[in-house]
Amino acid sequence: MKLTNFQQPPAYFKGFYYLALLVFMLLSSEWLTAQNLSSQRDLTEPGSTPEEALCGPVEIITLCTNQPDSLVIFFEQGWGLRKRGPFTISARRKKMLAEKWQLPSQANFQLMYFDRPSAPGTILLRVIILKQEVSLIRSTYGPEENGPFTIGFPNARQEEVHSKMLSMGYNTLAPMQAALLSKPDGTKYKYLETIYKGPEWIHAVGIERGNGMPQLSNIDSLTGLGGPAYSAMNVTGMSDTMISFLTNILGYELRRDQVWTTGNGSALGLPAGMPFRFVIAYAKGARSGHLLLMDFKNKQSIPSTHPPHLPYRGIGMFSVTTDQIEEVLTRAVQAGIRVLSPPQFSREPGRGNFKSMILLAPNQVYFEVMERKK
């Protein structure tokens, strides 16, 4: 996510706007520091292969809610995802899933899913609709509370997306960001980004890369919409331990590890001059399904109101797949990672029977490691 705010001018000023913006960026040492310059490989161009991966990219993001209708409006009508469900589950299967996901023993719930089948490889959203009232993970909008922060939606029509989301009544953390950034070959590309405030204190990022740059996920060629593609988390005070978890337990690789500073009109909705470590972790060989980590410097960690995991409302679990679930388990045990649910088979709508386990990451978020079906 870009940190300096460049508001979009009227159409007849665009030529002057982009020229002035380019000159400003070339003179801005803050921008150069944040970019790692043009010699760096693009995020979507892995230097590794999928065959080297221990675990694959994030395939599922799980949310809990008491307000499913608000999520339907936000994800289906707003972001154009397909809705499936809600599905009612048998008492026996419900008990098994509740035990695995660490839900209350008497939890009464349904499952609902959102996906984009026209953009293969994008993330599935799994929603646990709890009948019992549960508390929210977060207490406010913005990036300052520890835990999951955003879900990213790459697209090729961000200005249209922006107009639509505003017309639906969704507010943003800051005005839409517009910038010219460097490609690996040194030429420039257009970059647009906005962070929208959704239900359950969820944030969704609309992000577009122009001038021939690949989007950060597959997109639907007809609608120009893509994602879900990634998620950002605040890990202030624990970035090293989270990096160790992602790289040593899940086998991920870091494609960025930089210190950025918020600029005026920050996309994050924060004051200028706040430094933070910004890390982007991918599964080896992957082009999307990645995780962003933010560790704010010179700032005390702010815990979320409730632990950032199930059954509290909001984003509480990430799911990855592996061909070597016992290897991941061994690594987790040796590293002292808490195994909340050992590898076991369960069944849910749309997936059938599958084997998985639940790990508690250092930032208290649940990670579901699923055995890949052969």
Side-chain angles (χ1 to χ4, degrees), residues 287-299:
R287 296 179 180 272
S288 64
H290 47 292
L291 294 168
L292 316 181
L293 307 180
M294 300 181 299
D295 185 342
F296 288 92
K297 305 300 180 183
N298 309 320
K299 193 174 189 310

Side-chain angles (χ1 to χ4, degrees), residues 316-334:
M317 186 164 70
F318 299 101
S319 302
V320 301
T321 59
T322 182
D323 291 323
Q324 304 177 62
I325 195 167
E326 294 301 328
E327 172 63 19
V328 179
L329 176 61
T330 298
R331 292 186 180 201
V333 171
Q334 290 177 347

Side-chain angles (χ1 to χ4, degrees), residues 230-246:
Y230 63 86
S231 184
M233 294 188 278
N234 180 328
V235 295
T236 296
M238 62 185 86
S239 55
D240 285 340
T241 55
M242 276 303 296
I243 289 170
S244 178
F245 174 81
L246 294 175

Side-chain angles (χ1 to χ4, degrees), residues 191-228:
Y191 181 99
L192 301 175
E193 180 185 19
T194 317
I195 302 177
Y196 301 91
K197 301 176 181 179
E200 311 283 27
W201 302 120
I202 294 167
H203 302 76
V205 183
I207 182 170
E208 177 186 353
R209 308 202 304 174
N211 302 95
M213 283 293 282
Q215 304 302 340
L216 295 175
S217 77
N218 288 331
I219 62 172
D220 184 319
S221 59
L222 295 178
T223 66
L225 300 178

Side-chain angles (χ1 to χ4, degrees), residues 53-59 250 252 282-284 286 289 319-322 372:
L54 176 60
C55 294
V58 174
E59 292 193 8
L250 303 185
Y252 274 37
Y282 277 76
K284 290 182 178 178
S319 302
V320 301
T321 59
T322 182
R372 192 175 293 118

